[in-house]
Amino acid sequence: MLAPSRILRTTPAQAGGGRERWSLVEHAYDAIAEGSKSFATASELFDRDTRERVWLLYAWCRRCDDLADGQDHGGEPTEHADADKRLRAIRLLTERAFEGLPTADPAFDAFGLVARECGLTREMAEDVIMGFELDAAGWRPRTERDLARYCYHVAGAVGVMMAVVMGVPKDDSEMLDRACDMGIAFQLANIARDIGEDDAADRCYLPIEWLVEEDIEPGQHLKPHHRGELTDMAARLVTLMERHEAAAKLGTPRLPFRSRWAVLAAARIYGAIGREVRARGQAAWDHRVVIGRWDKAKHVLGAFWEALRNRPQPPETMPEWTRGDILIDVRMAGPIAKPPMDPLPDEE
């Protein structure tokens, strides 16, 4: 005989879905150590509480990215046929994490924990998820403004969340703008470095209008006879990166010393990736650009003195892409949909 519904136990809401905090932190560290060696290096410079929260947030970002693409820590993406189902799962699990309900996935439980501890919002999370949605749909930017919006979703919005994790108030627009600039700078460096890998996965983040300006046929930008034009476009990406990088540093003086040091170290490492792509010229995609261990150590040391001096120089020209303008485009696209809470269909 079934028990009356009035005496059935409900699942209690707990930050982290009821998992032990130490186990979530351990899982999150493994995720960042495997997924991003550059960011893992910089993250070690934070104080312990901030460092662990940065790892918890990263674990969610990494897991969502893998789910959206059907990957495992950035491996080969799968077909886009079930992209809608995967995005639906991401939104459902993220909503459960916000509610403090168990998700059966430590990365989402980790997000629920850091969201509760730092006051991350559903709007912040949805801005990031929209970037995964663009990738899962095989989206490509037509204009430079499209590229700006993409960089915001996949990295600028993450920068905003990272700033809040570091203790920046959610209503401090100036600091969040600078954090967004830092994320965009990182993403521009990644795009410049990964042009060859993205092409192998049938992706291209160079705006179509840039390709048209260079008189490059669709899908032909990596052909040997277009290497000169491709080098010019990569240099254009790096110039944009440097502008956002310099603007982002204007926000670092208000961070605690160790957070400032970590952010500046990450900026130096990612900036070095972009500048190495530019320096290699037409050979930039023959071998993946990697910043070696000793070079990372030099950047960490340089960031220490930069953080100690704490006098960032403003860029000659502030970035054309601003968080405010991008958010207008994002919000005009429509309200954030309430995530579906009905169960996902069983696998066939």
Side-chain angles (χ1 to χ4, degrees):
M1 183 175 178
L2 295 176
S5 60
R6 66 178 181 275
I7 65 172
L8 290 178
R9 296 176 60 188
T10 59
T11 302
Q14 304 176 66
R19 293 180 191 261
E20 294 288 344
R21 192 180 194 282
W22 67 265
S23 69
L24 292 174
V25 169
E26 188 175 87
H27 174 273
Y29 173 76
D30 290 342
I32 196 170
E34 183 174 355
S36 177
K37 292 180 174 57
S38 294
F39 194 44
T41 297
S43 72
E44 294 284 357
L45 305 178
F46 288 111
D47 64 85
R48 179 177 177 177
D49 288 345
T50 304
R51 178 170 64 243
E52 290 180 351
R53 288 169 175 168
V54 164
W55 292 346
L56 293 169
L57 177 56
Y58 177 90
W60 173 76
C61 293
R62 177 77 268 167
R63 181 64 174 141
C64 287
D65 196 16
D66 286 344
L67 283 175
D69 289 343
Q71 296 174 308
D72 182 12
H73 286 85
E76 291 296 323
T78 60
E79 297 296 325
H80 299 300
D82 60 345
D84 288 343
K85 181 179 177 180
R86 295 197 300 268
L87 264 295
R88 183 180 168 198
I90 289 170
R91 287 190 166 102
L92 172 62
L93 292 172
T94 300
E95 179 62 21
R96 287 185 64 87
F98 271 116
E99 294 291 335
L101 299 175
T103 68
D105 189 313
F108 284 90
D109 291 334
F111 178 73
L113 178 61
V114 72
R116 181 74 63 87
E117 290 182 353
C118 301
L120 301 177
T121 68
R122 287 170 171 80
E123 186 174 70
M124 293 174 184
E126 180 60 21
D127 278 354
V128 176
I129 292 172
M130 288 170 74
F132 302 132
E133 190 168 36
L134 292 175
D135 274 337
W139 175 91
R140 298 182 179 185
R142 295 186 60 84
T143 66
E144 194 169 306
R145 193 174 184 91
D146 288 341
L147 176 60
R149 181 173 175 181
Y150 175 74
C151 288
Y152 168 74
H153 283 307
V154 301
V158 177
V160 169
M161 296 176 84
M162 286 290 181
V164 174
V165 165
M166 292 179 212
V168 174
K170 289 180 287 187
D171 59 355
D172 191 337
S173 296
E174 175 63 24
M175 286 291 284
L176 298 185
D177 287 349
R178 303 288 72 82
C180 178
D181 280 323
M182 189 65 81
I184 289 174
F186 291 177
Q187 185 60 27
L188 288 167
N190 285 338
I191 290 173
R193 178 192 61 191
D194 296 340
I195 289 174
E197 295 173 29
D198 288 335
D199 183 70
D202 194 29
R203 289 178 173 173
C204 179
Y205 299 110
L206 298 168
I208 292 174
E209 63 181 14
W210 288 14
L211 298 172
V212 171
E213 289 171 12
E214 297 286 356
D215 197 25
I216 297 177
E217 306 86 351
Q220 302 297 303
H221 55 282
L222 272 172
K223 297 297 183 183
H225 62 283
H226 285 312
R227 275 299 173 101
E229 295 92 333
L230 185 61
T231 300
D232 291 342
M233 288 185 288
R236 191 170 175 179
L237 288 170
V238 176
T239 298
L240 290 171
M241 177 207 78
E242 290 177 327
R243 190 173 295 175
H244 283 276
E245 177 187 38
K249 289 183 178 182
L250 297 179
T252 58
R254 292 171 54 193
L255 293 173
F257 177 79
R258 292 194 61 173
S259 292
R260 181 163 70 246
W261 183 16
V263 168
L264 291 172
R268 281 173 170 259
I269 293 169
Y270 277 90
I273 290 172
R275 284 181 273 273
E276 179 63 19
V277 169
R278 183 171 57 194
R280 289 188 185 183
Q282 296 188 24
W285 305 281
D286 292 348
H287 303 283
R288 181 180 174 87
V289 171
V290 176
I291 306 301
R293 181 183 303 175
W294 292 111
D295 286 331
K296 284 179 183 175
K298 291 177 184 178
H299 290 306
V300 168
L301 181 59
F304 174 81
W305 294 112
E306 189 176 357
L308 201 62
R309 188 167 56 250
N310 203 21
R311 291 197 298 270
Q313 296 299 309
E316 293 182 4
T317 305
M318 288 294 284
E320 180 180 350
W321 309 342
T322 68
R323 186 173 69 105
D325 287 343
I326 295 171
L327 282 175
I328 289 173
D329 289 345
V330 172
R331 302 299 176 243
M332 287 185 67
I336 296 174
K338 184 176 178 60
M341 297 303 292
D342 49 309
L344 294 170
D346 294 333
E347 295 286 352
E348 295 182 359

